[in-house]
């Protein structure tokens, strides 16, 4: 007769430590986000995307020479292979953008693509993902593809390739800050997926393809469409107080407030709030979001005292996406193009001291007599 063997299980692995990392610290109780020893807020407000990518990948902010080298390397890797473009043109129109990304990243043939992964491979994947998004977006619209420009920064070039026009400086600044703040965020579902795949000594392309698959799920990389709907309903700053008060009196939830991890202010939201405040008067949607956040926090404390409900990063992300005129189907892909830096950094870190992930499960089925 077999005996039931039961061990304690943790559904979803919540709170279970799966790895040591020097890449980031997420402290939800204190509202801290640290990237390689730096406050994420300071990085977003004072540094460029390429500088923070260098920090995440290599552990230090770059010198001027290193910064220019990385910008050049990213620019040189933006072009897609002809075979990838051919595949892109053959994909069905109804295929969603995250599925397109997952499929096309899987076609990359990188130099020395076998395990262990390299920094050059990480840079190449990061550089190409915005090009996939922009090309697919324009193909669906029936527009000509816009080739990347080597003299533009990573985020500026992304916006240029989407529209074919030089983006507004305020839009570049806002989206760059958002991209820095979403570049890396601890052992989340997609990052864990990437590390698990890499731990089998599979290649970095497979690890990032798997991470994109995890990001595709609405519980992880879902678009902040509810926030945009709320902002559009409010319409202008004069309607803010009346709209929010009415919603709270009806017992409705304010979209973009509260976070599963952060029990106080989301540090990413604080950074975006400060940055957007510095752009006052340059974009009406950013101005509206700033006013909504200000009055909503006051009214939430009035209606729900002690609940500590503050804006999360998705609140200001929605305002930024709306301001730069990104359609909803590009929200998660745009999140993905920044998070690729964090994923690849974790893949590189996993390879430094690799051990395959092999957790156990608790059997809850029947056993034979």
């Amino acid at each position: 007769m077999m005996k039931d063997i039961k061990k304690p299980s943790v559904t979803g692995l919540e709170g279970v430590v799966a790895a040591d990392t020097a890449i980031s610290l997420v402290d939800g109780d204190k509202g801290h986000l640290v990237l390689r020893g730096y406050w994420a807020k300071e990085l977003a407000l004072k540094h460029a995307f390429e500088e923070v990518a260098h920090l995440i990948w290599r552990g230090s902010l770059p010198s001027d020479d290193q910064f220019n080298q990385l910008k050049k390397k990213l620019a040189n890797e933006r072009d897609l292979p002809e075979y990838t473009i051919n595949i892109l043109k053959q994909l069905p129109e109804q295929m969603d953008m995250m599925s397109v990304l997952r499929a096309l990243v899987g076609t990359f043939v990188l130099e020395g693509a076998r395990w262990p992964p390299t920094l050059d491979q990480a840079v190449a994947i990061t550089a190409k993902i915005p090009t996939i998004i922009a090309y697919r977006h324009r193909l669906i619209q029936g527009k000509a593809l816009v080739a990347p420009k080597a003299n533009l920064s990573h985020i500026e070039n992304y916006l240029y390739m989407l529209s074919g026009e030089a983006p507004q400086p305020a839009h570049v600044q806002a989206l760059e800050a958002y991209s820095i703040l979403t570049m890396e965020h601890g052992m989340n579902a997609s990052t864990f997926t990437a590390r698990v795949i890499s731990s089998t000594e599979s290649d970095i392309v497979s690890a990032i393809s798997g991470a994109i698959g995890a990001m595709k799920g609405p519980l992880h990389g879902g678009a902040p469409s509810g926030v945009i709907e709320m902002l559009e309903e409010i319409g202008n700053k004069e309607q803010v107080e009346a709209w929010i008060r009415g919603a709270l009196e009806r017992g409705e939830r304010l979209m973009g407030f509260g976070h599963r991890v952060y029990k106080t202010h989301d540090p990413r939201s604080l950074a975006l709030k400060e940055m957007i405040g510095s752009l006052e008067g340059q974009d009406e949607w950013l101005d509206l979001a700033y006013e909504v956040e200000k009055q909503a926090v006051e009214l939430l404390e009035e209606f729900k005292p002690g609940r500590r409900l503050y804006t999360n990063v998705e609140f200001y992300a929605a305002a930024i996406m709306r301001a730069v005129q990104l359609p909803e189907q590009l929200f998660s892909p745009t999140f993905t193009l920044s998070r690729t830096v964090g994923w690849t950094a974790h893949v590189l870190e996993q390879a430094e001291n690799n051990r395959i992930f092999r957790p156990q499960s608790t059997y809850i089925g029947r056993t034979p007599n």
Side-chain angles (χ1 to χ4, degrees):
M1 178 179 178
M2 297 179 63
K3 294 182 179 179
D4 291 339
I5 301 175
K6 290 191 176 182
K7 296 181 180 179
S9 60
V10 180
T11 304
L13 301 180
E14 188 161 355
V16 174
V17 175
D20 293 332
T21 183
I23 301 172
S24 69
L25 166 68
V26 181
D27 188 326
D29 292 330
K30 296 179 180 178
H32 289 171
L33 176 58
V34 177
L35 303 178
R36 295 282 196 186
Y38 292 84
W39 296 115
K41 176 182 176 182
E42 297 302 311
L43 294 171
L45 295 175
K46 298 179 181 179
H47 295 275
F49 180 96
E50 292 84 352
E51 289 180 286
V52 183
H54 185 282
L55 171 68
I56 297 298
W57 280 327
R58 304 188 66 176
S60 62
L61 287 170
S63 63
D64 289 344
D65 185 52
Q66 289 173 324
F67 174 61
N68 290 327
Q69 285 181 16
L70 181 55
K71 285 184 69 175
K72 183 177 180 180
K73 186 174 289 188
L74 281 166
N76 289 341
E77 291 285 355
R78 287 173 182 158
D79 290 322
L80 298 179
E82 190 64 31
Y83 64 83
T84 299
I85 297 175
N86 290 336
I87 294 171
L88 176 59
K89 291 178 178 179
Q90 298 301 315
L91 295 177
E93 186 172 332
Q94 63 269 29
M95 192 173 184
D96 66 88
M97 186 68 80
M98 292 298 288
S99 296
V100 169
L101 276 177
R102 184 189 60 209
L104 291 185
V105 168
T107 71
F108 292 167
V109 179
L110 304 179
E111 185 176 349
R114 292 176 295 182
W115 201 89
T118 68
L119 179 57
D120 284 345
Q121 294 167 3
V123 172
I125 293 172
T126 302
K128 287 175 170 56
I129 282 182
T131 305
I132 293 175
I133 299 170
Y135 279 6
R136 171 67 173 182
H137 179 62
R138 292 188 68 84
L139 282 171
I140 291 297
Q141 291 184 316
K143 296 180 179 179
L145 303 184
V146 176
K149 278 190 175 181
N151 64 323
L152 300 181
S153 70
H154 191 69
I155 299 303
E156 187 179 10
N157 178 71
Y158 174 57
L159 290 175
Y160 164 72
M161 290 183 69
L162 287 171
S163 68
E165 301 176 357
Q168 295 181 33
H171 291 171
V172 175
Q173 186 176 345
L175 189 60
E176 185 161 55
Y178 166 78
S179 298
I180 289 170
L181 292 164
T182 55
M183 192 180 284
E184 159 63 14
H185 201 246
M187 193 65 74
N188 52 79
S190 56
T191 298
F192 184 51
T193 300
R195 290 192 75 133
V196 169
I197 293 172
S198 187
S199 79
T200 70
E201 298 192 359
S202 186
D203 58 274
I204 191 171
V205 168
S206 297
I208 302 309
S209 297
I212 292 170
M215 179 71 82
K216 184 175 183 287
L219 294 185
H220 185 21
S225 54
V227 179
I228 288 184
E229 291 172 6
M230 180 179 73
L231 293 175
E232 288 180 340
E233 283 186 26
I234 294 172
N236 58 68
K237 291 192 286 187
E238 289 69 30
Q239 301 297 323
V240 171
E241 181 179 1
W243 192 97
I244 295 175
R245 187 175 291 277
L248 292 176
E249 287 175 348
R250 294 189 297 271
E252 297 175 2
R253 177 188 173 196
L254 297 185
M255 303 304 293
F257 288 77
H259 193 275
R260 180 178 178 182
V261 174
Y262 294 109
K263 307 309 178 187
T264 180
H265 290 282
D266 183 335
R268 300 168 299 174
S269 177
L270 289 176
L272 290 178
K273 176 183 178 181
E274 184 171 331
M275 187 275 303
I276 287 174
S278 72
L279 299 174
E280 184 177 2
Q282 298 188 46
D283 185 276
E284 62 179 348
W285 281 99
L286 299 181
D287 289 350
L288 176 60
Y290 192 81
E291 184 64 24
V292 168
E293 194 266 358
K294 175 184 175 182
Q295 296 201 36
V297 169
E298 294 174 357
L299 288 168
L300 281 167
E301 183 58 30
E302 176 185 330
F303 278 80
K304 302 179 180 183
R307 288 284 303 279
R308 298 195 303 173
L309 293 172
Y310 305 107
T311 49
N312 55 47
V313 71
E314 296 306 323
F315 176 84
Y316 279 113
I320 291 169
M321 299 298 186
R322 179 65 175 78
V324 302
Q325 299 182 340
L326 289 183
E328 184 176 336
Q329 60 266 31
L330 294 188
F331 290 179
S332 292
T334 302
F335 184 5
T336 298
L337 77 81
S338 64
R339 184 56 59 85
T340 302
V341 175
W343 290 338
T344 52
H346 276 273
V347 168
L348 295 170
E349 186 178 62
Q350 181 66 35
E352 292 173 1
N353 185 27
N354 188 52
R355 182 169 183 175
I356 189 171
F357 285 95
R358 184 62 176 88
Q360 294 183 338
S361 59
T362 299
Y363 177 68
I364 59 172
R366 299 175 61 186
T367 55
N369 293 326

